[in-house]
Amino acid sequence: MLALVYLYSLFPSHQRHSHLLYWQLGIGAIIGIIGVIIMMSPLVFQEGLQFDSRSVLLCLSGLFFGVIPTTVAAIFMALYRYNLGGVGASVGIIMLFCSGFLGLVWRHYRKNHLDQISLVAFYVFGIIVHVFLLFSVLLIPFEQAVDTLLLIAFPILIIFPFLTMVTGRLLTQIMFREREQQIKSQEDFLFRSQFDIGNIGISITSKAKYWLKVNPYLCQMLGYSESELKALTWAEITHPDDLNKDLLKYDKMVKGEIDEYEMDKRFVAKDGSIVYTHITIACRRNPDDDGFLVIAGFLDITKQKQAELALLQSKEQLDLVLDSSELGVWDWDVQKRTVNFNRYSADILCCPVSKLNETPKRWIDAIEEKDKLRFLRSLNDIQKGRSISQKIEYQLINLMGESRWILQTGKVVDIDEKGKPLRVCGTLSDITDIKHVEETLSVAASVYQNSSEAMSVFTSEGVIIDSNPAFSLITGFKKDEIKGQSLSMFKSELQPQKFYDQLTVQLKQIGRWQGEVWMQHKNGENYLILLTINSVNQTKTQSARFVALFSDITEKKQTEELIWRQANYDSLTGLPNRRMLLAFLAKAVTQTDRQRNHFALMFLDLDYFKEINDTLGHDMGDVLLLETAERLKRCVRESDVVARLGGDEFTIVLTNLDDNHGVERVASQILKSLAEPYLLGDQTAYISGSIGITLFPDDASTTEALLKNADQAMYSAKTHGRNRFNYFTPAMQSDAQKRMLLVQELKNAVLQEQFELYYQPIVELGSDSVIKAEALIRWDHPTMGFISPAEFIPIAEETGMIIDIGNWVFNEAVAQSAKWKALFNVDIQISINKSPVQFRDETTDVQDWLSTMSQLQLNAKSICIEITEGLLLEKEQNVEAKLLAYREAGLEVSLDDFGTGYSSLSYLRKFNIDYLKIDKSFVNNLTPDSNDLSLCEAMIVMAHKLGMKVIAEGIETEQQRNLLEFAGCDYGQGYLFSHALCSEDFEQKYLQQRADLIMINQFTAS
């Protein structure tokens, strides 16, 4: 056993771990050899039965060395025992493996705690192992087994457990002695490394306060060498203001009242500077000789303390900084209901700070109406405890009339015992410039991402940095496939290398390039692009960048020829079209002016061509146009030009004229030729023409003026009976110019926001409340001034622009109704006038209007459609269908100007009209005994019988109002109540003041 212990100690642990398998096999062999040696001197009971301490060896091997060494050793000893033979050979072999197995079983439970096994545990283990082995003797013949047990049981249970205990203890000490030495070495190393190179100061001092040992960091912290510190006491370099506090605690530790303490303490360094430290002090006492050592750790907190002092100073300067910075500060005392602003806040409002603090309501009054309610709600949420902070952006109009964007933040800084806010503080920032920048950046980003042109950014080396979606769409490559790749991946074999070399040189020299380039698609196809490259200036932190913009022009190039022909010739007749005509006229104007020759321009429109198309079809209409073109060409010379402008409009240019007689002769010939019958299939058709004639340079000197003159003269010919020609006159020009100017300005009016809706209140006569208003369009032209609806509405209806204007009026009205609902929580029904042209228009869908109202969460009854009596008599199905669709959707319908035209009671009943409006012509002369009063009373009674309510227009006097109210009229409208108001004035007069008063009262009362 001792030999085993000795042999184990000869193998260092690092060798055992580096060659684990060899070590396990080797130690197993050694244990086996030792076991064989033990078995050579056994206690022989009789022939074949022998006993020795091999069981102690194997059970301890299983416990300390594991499976492989124990198995190897057991095999060695089993082979030897088998060779010895005898009656107990099989039992001996079983005892060998059982001993090792029992050791392995115990190892399984104590593997990580072998060093903690006590002597008693080893002894009990030895008894268990050998009791088990003694029972294995019963495997031999019973009488022989009993004799054997009686003879050997007692000595084995006395000696072998004791031997197991002693040997196990020796193995434990040998095996774990090296580990304890390593742990001790590690602890010593850690202490020395922390002491010598740690990031805190460490010292050991005596009871007399002398430094016995200090580490380098403490010397560095205080500026002394180690020898200088050892010659001093720590009390000598302690800051005088901190010494008494330190000595008081140190004395308590000396007396044994405390064993450790910590504190913030200042030292005076060698150079006289103050070092702030946080020290932790502990003592180590020796009870035998009353020894006393103090170990202290010093953490340098000088920077932290200096920062705290700086913070304290900065707090003292904060008020001064805020006053001079561009940051508004407000302090709201919720209990006292006062608000204090700083100077910058007052500067934003352009108001003295004293006046602003005296009347904080000035700030609320300056907030724009669209943001005021949201602002007050945010403050109310804080006051009610629903929120502890505020962050809101809004616009206000300062006293100079400037609109400023404000970012306001606030937070509750004090609450009462119930959790309700007592004080709220916050800041104000003028973010107007930031908003402008954000808007600019947003537009730029939107253009980049949504542009139909491909865009990319690349370096001077041709490496792609970024690209937009259009780039991927045109090239076929996804963004992540080309990012970081070279532009050479797009090269096409159709583009020579010399071109790319020249392009590179030009970009380096000039920084920009534009032209056409062949590129290769992801699928291998070649396509032509129009490419523009511009450089972005190089900065200190960023090398040169280039931005490329291009579009695919392959198809454009392929169809240029076709487009040119289509652009210059009429596809049906083969005649020159408007484009070529304009080019010819421009050339003729130049040449004729130079050669002093005149020419005439004829503008021809076919009479009754629409009827031909409608009756015989468009195919026959095209045949007629072809025949007309041939007839016109036969009527003029080869040097003259016949062109088709479109539809049934043609122009003829007669060049090199000496007098006007030739023009009249050609015009007469054309009219005569057109009057001849046309054979259109099986049908014969007759048409005529209306011709307008203008002369150059007598009537005009420009192409545009000539075309306008000829067009006006043609319209004059149509007006005067058709089948004739008319010359242009100056009076015709003046009227046409005025009309055309109004048409052109009308087109721009909506786009330039020249229109505005005014609202005339409709008063409920019984309660004097305003729950309805009529939307009236106003046109304030920037140069022509106010233009009456009577002037531009007929033109809008004639040109069809009433469709767009009507849609604009509807969108503005529903938006205004939604705004009033959101801001003031009131339902104002807005009446809008709808032209008969809008009802006839097939492109206007009723569902579009209803969808708009649904998006704005408006009830259908928020809009009332006003129509005239004449519309009810329309026989077109589209008119009737739309009117019924409005009724089914819930929109109310009002019949305007009732009594002035042909009224049909059957139509009133059929379309279920909601309101009947008495025309102001009946109200103007209303007196107690007048016929107009009788008519009004009759209309009111009739309307009520049919389930309609009545609105009287044009009320201007109290007498008219009283008579109508007494007659049972429901609503009144007129100058007695108010003229038409803009939306702001309407809000101010009927909605705003009341809503503001209610909101402010609620806010201050809460």
Side-chain angles (χ1 to χ4, degrees), residues 964-982:
L964 288 167
E965 182 180 5
F966 184 76
C969 185
D970 302 287
Y971 300 96
Q973 180 180 353
Y975 288 164
L976 174 65
F977 308 107
S978 173
H979 57 79
L981 303 172
C982 65

Side-chain angles (χ1 to χ4, degrees), residues 46-59:
Q46 63 181 37
E47 186 66 26
L49 293 175
Q50 55 188 23
F51 299 91
D52 49 56
S53 60
R54 62 181 181 269
S55 57
V56 175
L57 180 64
L58 282 175
C59 72

Side-chain angles (χ1 to χ4, degrees), residues 448-460:
Y448 182 76
Q449 291 297 325
N450 298 294
S451 174
S452 59
E453 288 197 24
M455 299 183 185
S456 66
V457 182
F458 58 92
T459 66
S460 56

Side-chain angles (χ1 to χ4, degrees), residues 829-840:
Q829 185 188 63
I830 299 179
S831 298
I832 58 176
N833 293 281
K834 191 170 176 65
S835 167
V837 178
Q838 293 176 266
F839 277 93
R840 300 187 196 104

Side-chain angles (χ1 to χ4, degrees), residues 283-429:
C283 67
R284 183 172 181 179
R285 309 177 194 276
N286 191 341
D288 297 333
D289 57 0
D290 196 26
F292 187 89
L293 290 178
V294 178
I295 300 176
F298 302 83
L299 182 63
D300 190 348
I301 60 172
T302 303
K303 292 183 179 179
Q304 177 183 341
K305 285 294 184 180
Q306 290 174 346
E308 290 177 357
L309 291 174
L311 178 61
L312 181 61
Q313 293 176 356
S314 66
K315 287 181 178 179
E316 294 174 351
Q317 298 170 355
L318 180 59
D319 292 337
L320 294 175
V321 172
L322 288 176
D323 285 340
S324 60
S325 67
E326 295 186 353
L327 186 67
V329 180
W330 55 275
D331 189 340
W332 176 24
D333 190 322
V334 181
Q335 295 290 331
K336 296 180 180 178
R337 300 179 184 175
T338 60
V339 182
N340 287 319
F341 294 90
N342 71 337
R343 182 187 57 79
Y344 184 73
S345 302
D347 290 344
I348 294 176
L349 196 59
C350 298
C351 170
V353 66
S354 58
K355 291 186 178 180
L356 179 58
N357 287 328
E358 289 175 2
T359 314
K361 186 175 175 293
R362 290 174 181 264
W363 188 274
I364 297 177
D365 292 339
I367 298 174
E368 291 197 1
E369 297 301 331
K370 62 184 180 63
D371 296 329
K372 184 180 295 185
L373 185 60
R374 184 165 52 89
F375 173 80
L376 293 175
R377 283 176 177 170
S378 68
L379 292 182
N380 191 50
D381 288 342
I382 293 177
Q383 188 176 15
K384 296 296 185 182
R386 291 190 290 266
S387 175
I388 63 170
S389 62
Q390 178 198 46
K391 185 175 183 180
I392 185 172
E393 293 181 3
Y394 57 88
Q395 284 181 278
L396 61 75
I397 306 297
N398 62 22
L399 299 185
M400 300 298 293
E402 301 170 335
S403 178
R404 311 301 297 177
W405 272 99
I406 305 299
L407 171 61
Q408 177 167 325
T409 61
K411 190 173 184 180
V412 176
V413 297
D414 192 12
I415 59 175
D416 61 13
E417 64 277 0
K418 295 182 180 179
K420 292 186 177 180
L422 297 176
R423 186 164 166 249
V424 184
C425 295
T427 61
L428 300 166
S429 302

